[in-house]
Amino acid sequence: MAVDPFAELLRHLRRNANRTQDEQAGAINAASGRATMTRREVNRYENGANVPTDHTLGNIALACGVPLEPLLREAKAARARRREKNKAEAEDLDDVKRRTLLGGAVIGAAAAAEPWGRLAYALSKGSKIDPESTGVLIDHAARLHVDELNESALSLQSRVEAHLDAITAALPRAGAHERALTIAAGETAALAGWIAWDLGEHDKATSYYGVTSECAKKAGHPPLRALALGYASYGAPNPAKALEMLSQAAHDVRGRGNATAAAWALGRYAEEAAQSGDDAGALRALDQAKFAYDFADHTSEQAWVRFVTPYRMDSLTLSVYGELKRQELTATADSAVERLGGELPESGVVVLGDLASALLRGGDIDRGAYVAHQFAAAAESKPNTMGRQRAQTIAAGLPDTEHDLASHLLTFATL
């Protein structure tokens, strides 16, 4: 009986790593952190007697340094063949011809037609990553930062971590593209950390931020460290530490081509300074952030700054003015609402959340409660990261007459 193509693929990956089955089991255990894999089970995978679970496939991908997506697709196809045992040996020849060989193993045509499939092929052959695949990996990292504006952390986490796996697998064969891919890896790791933090996985977030800083050091790209520091500042143990981190972040993005990043770092510094009672420092940093953003183009600088939209700058300004109870809050709120328009844009939920909080802190309770209702509806229909934290903040500032809304927001914050 012919061995299943997926079993051949697993055998090829092990041999390409120059390992025995015992050594492969050890490598998978090292990737998982658990001593549960045995040589016998590796053998069962390679003779087609069993198909690894998706979780185990993730560990196999890490152990072999290959993207996870093609393995998941091929495993799904293998399971389908097992369910139709009576058809497995009579697989249509035309279907076989439509499949692409990966060094003697078979990878689905759907995977081979996508960048992941081409990347897997390049890895198996030991060749350098081509410019097209490099560009796809970098562009996808940028798109994930945009998706963060209107997707929940839970829905994004697996996609971000899978993409980080793909870049990690590509790096050893990056050649001339190593620096660009290292930066993209750092950007993706920072986003993975941000998502982990939003989901309450704080230790995991810290580890991702550390990896981002290592990527910044290796690539000689300080703005990448600024990204890690900016994200990490939300979880700083105290305001003084947050200000220290954001001061370093602002220093890391000084210079041409970093205006949007500087605007965000300075805006975040202004937020933290306002919360720590440094009114003058907060207003000074906010003015600097606005000035920097006047010269910025968040669509053409570093990939990760694409989330720093005009709406996000509105939310930072609202946060500072609300905390300081500045008279400019009313005019800024009106301007922010006008910018949002009739249809809520990407990052609009963030603005509504910060607007509600700012109005409540600034003393405009009725309007703050009204916007809080809008935020509650928007956060459920257009989820994004930080929605849960904003829900908690708003709930804490609502008057007793809005008990039902506060309870609803607190429930949302625990989901």
Side-chain angles (χ1 to χ4, degrees), residues 17-232:
N18 196 28
R19 296 183 186 129
T20 64
Q21 290 183 340
D22 272 326
E23 291 169 338
Q24 180 74 341
I28 295 170
N29 285 332
S32 69
R34 301 175 62 191
T36 56
M37 185 60 59
T38 64
R39 183 206 65 77
R40 181 174 179 275
E41 192 61 25
V42 171
N43 181 264
R44 285 173 60 81
Y45 293 154
E46 293 185 2
N47 66 27
N50 201 0
V51 177
T53 65
D54 288 353
H55 179 75
T56 299
L57 284 172
N59 295 325
I60 292 174
L62 286 174
C64 296
V66 298
L68 175 59
E69 290 295 324
L71 294 184
L72 293 175
R73 289 191 179 96
E74 285 303 303
K76 183 177 180 180
R79 293 185 190 108
R81 288 191 292 272
R82 286 168 63 86
R83 287 193 298 267
E84 300 179 13
K85 291 181 180 180
N86 60 321
K87 298 180 181 179
E89 294 183 5
E91 186 178 13
D92 192 318
L93 181 60
D94 288 338
D95 185 56
V96 174
K97 291 179 179 179
R98 286 195 301 268
R99 302 174 74 83
T100 303
L101 290 178
L102 172 56
V106 181
I107 184 166
E114 295 185 23
W116 315 108
R118 293 197 300 274
L119 182 57
Y121 179 78
L123 289 169
S124 74
K125 301 299 288 185
S127 59
K128 300 297 182 184
I129 302 301
D130 60 85
E132 181 185 8
S133 293
T134 299
V136 168
L137 288 168
I138 293 172
D139 288 346
H140 189 61
R143 285 198 300 275
L144 289 169
H145 278 276
V146 175
D147 291 344
E148 181 259 332
L149 295 174
N150 58 7
E151 284 193 40
S152 69
L154 191 61
S155 68
L156 267 176
Q157 188 173 46
S158 61
R159 289 172 52 206
V160 172
E161 292 184 345
H163 188 61
L164 185 58
D165 285 344
I167 298 179
T168 301
L171 273 171
R173 294 167 174 80
H177 309 294
E178 181 176 1
R179 183 173 185 271
L181 279 182
T182 298
I183 292 173
E187 292 171 342
T188 307
L191 182 57
W194 176 243
I195 289 169
W197 186 83
D198 190 63
L199 293 173
E201 300 171 344
H202 296 163
D203 290 342
K204 189 175 182 180
T206 299
S207 297
Y208 274 127
Y209 295 148
V211 170
T212 302
S213 295
E214 285 298 313
C215 288
K217 182 178 180 181
K218 182 172 183 179
H221 189 62
L224 194 52
R225 181 173 63 173
L227 172 60
L229 290 170
Y231 277 158

Side-chain angles (χ1 to χ4, degrees), residues 297-365:
D297 182 358
H298 72 279
T299 64
S300 64
E301 297 176 18
Q302 294 100 335
W304 60 267
V305 302
R306 297 183 193 185
F307 76 85
V308 190
T309 63
Y311 308 106
R312 185 71 181 98
M313 293 303 297
D314 282 344
S315 74
L316 289 168
T317 304
L318 289 165
S319 180
V320 173
Y321 286 161
E323 186 67 38
L324 300 181
K325 297 180 172 57
R326 298 285 296 186
Q327 63 181 10
E328 296 97 322
L329 175 60
T330 299
T332 304
D334 291 340
S335 175
V337 170
E338 182 178 355
R339 195 195 303 275
L340 287 176
E343 185 174 345
L344 202 65
E346 292 178 347
S347 74
V349 177
V350 174
V351 180
L352 287 176
D354 286 338
L355 176 56
S357 296
L359 291 169
L360 292 169
R361 289 198 304 270
D364 193 344
I365 304 300

